[in-house]
Amino acid sequence: MSVNAYGYEKETPSISNAQQVKFKARVDNDFLLVADYYAGGKRSGGVIVLHDCKSDRSRYSTMANGLFQQGLHALALDLRGYGDSVSPAFSRELIKQNATDIVSYQSEMALLTTYWQDDLIAAYQFLRSKVDSSQGIAIVTSGCSSTYGVALAEKILLNSIVMITPQMTYADKERYKNLIDIPSYFVTSAHHADSYQVVQELFSWNGSEKSKMQIFKGGRYGYHLIAREKSLINDISQWIELNVRK
């Protein structure tokens, strides 16, 4: 484990095929997003990998590396305020330290996440510049980031989306239902009640014949579920590769 300048604990991958990259969230702002880029095959598709709201990109390095092993271009992003995508103005850890109560913490976090839609578009544009124009791009989300994967799909035609133990409100689910029937891979645990209900509902609603659902015993979620189910990363990688290929 290591700790960055803002006190954020992160996991250091034991094996890395990644290059750390930085790019502007907006052309009119100097704030830099940090990500790990795994360069795939010349005519392979790409995948954006998002972490959940209790971790950073380092927890999903195994997922990103698995996608790379399938030949895909992978971009594991630190969302603004997390991991290395931080500054004195944008830091989850500083928000936690300075919050006087749960209401003030939630208010500041809600303000922070308003930037994430633009951040994801910047991440997509970076990855699009690396992937052959004939190939598609997918997104892997986890927990709260599922909502922002849907927001990106509203603006950009993604080839597929993976939702690992998604956390979504009623409004978030309705936004997903208003998308075209994008191929979706849902993953949850039977005893992780919130995501289990979301997965059941959205899988039933989705009309793509390529969509898939996996439900595991227990209550693990996010990267904890990925770490336990060793075959899951390979299965997700193969499914994405089939869906982004053109």
Side-chain angles (χ1 to χ4, degrees):
M1 304 294 288
S2 61
V3 178
N4 70 10
Y6 295 91
Y8 199 94
E9 188 180 73
K10 59 181 182 176
E11 184 174 289
T12 303
S14 57
I15 300 175
S16 179
N17 294 293
Q19 170 192 0
Q20 186 183 98
V21 295
K22 298 180 181 181
F23 48 90
K24 283 189 176 183
R26 291 172 55 119
V27 294
D28 59 349
N29 192 289
D30 290 333
F31 181 80
L32 294 175
L33 294 165
V34 180
D36 290 329
Y37 170 60
Y38 300 71
K42 185 175 181 180
R43 293 185 62 81
S44 296
V47 191
I48 300 170
V49 180
L50 300 182
H51 56 80
D52 58 82
C53 281
K54 294 182 179 180
S55 66
D56 64 14
R57 77 185 193 280
S58 67
R59 294 289 192 178
Y60 291 82
S61 60
T62 305
M63 168 64 74
N65 193 63
L67 294 163
F68 164 76
Q69 295 296 337
Q70 194 64 34
L72 295 160
H73 298 262
L75 185 71
L77 176 69
D78 269 339
L79 292 164
R80 185 184 299 228
Y82 285 74
D84 293 316
S85 295
V86 291
S87 71
F90 303 109
S91 169
R92 173 179 177 252
E93 289 303 305
L94 291 180
I95 290 173
K96 286 173 63 178
Q97 291 172 21
N98 296 330
T100 56
D101 52 51
I102 188 63
V103 174
S104 63
Y105 172 75
Q106 291 175 338
S107 177
E108 289 298 315
M109 286 301 298
L111 181 60
L112 174 65
T113 58
T114 59
Y115 293 92
W116 286 4
Q117 290 191 35
D118 286 342
D119 294 351
L120 278 183
I121 290 175
Y124 174 87
Q125 291 171 340
F126 174 89
L127 189 58
R128 184 76 272 175
S129 72
K130 304 295 184 180
V131 175
D132 189 280
S133 60
S134 66
Q135 301 304 306
I137 289 178
I139 189 167
V140 173
T141 68
S142 182
C144 73
S145 64
S146 299
T147 297
Y148 300 93
V150 172
L152 182 63
E154 288 177 325
K155 298 178 180 295
I156 293 167
L157 182 59
L158 298 172
N159 290 80
S160 56
I161 184 169
V162 176
M163 295 188 185
I164 301 168
T165 55
Q167 296 174 353
M168 303 175 78
T169 64
Y170 174 83
D172 296 332
K173 291 186 290 185
E174 291 304 303
R175 290 172 68 187
Y176 175 85
K177 292 176 182 178
N178 286 327
L179 297 175
I180 62 170
D181 282 327
I182 180 173
S184 303
Y185 189 149
F186 301 99
V187 183
T188 188
S189 294
H191 296 148
H192 192 245
D194 291 345
S195 69
Y196 180 81
Q197 293 174 353
V198 170
V199 162
Q200 294 274 30
E201 180 178 347
L202 297 188
F203 179 74
S204 297
W205 180 272
N206 183 276
S208 172
E209 294 182 355
K210 297 179 180 179
S211 290
K212 183 173 182 176
M213 175 175 64
Q214 284 218 64
I215 301 173
F216 295 92
K217 292 287 187 179
R220 292 179 184 262
Y221 61 92
Y223 67 86
H224 297 288
L225 180 57
I226 295 170
R228 188 188 70 173
E229 303 298 334
K230 303 299 184 182
S231 64
L232 182 57
I233 292 177
N234 187 55
D235 194 67
I236 289 174
S237 299
Q238 291 180 359
W239 182 85
I240 289 177
E241 198 279 329
L242 289 172
N243 280 287
V244 298
R245 183 194 307 161
K246 292 184 180 180

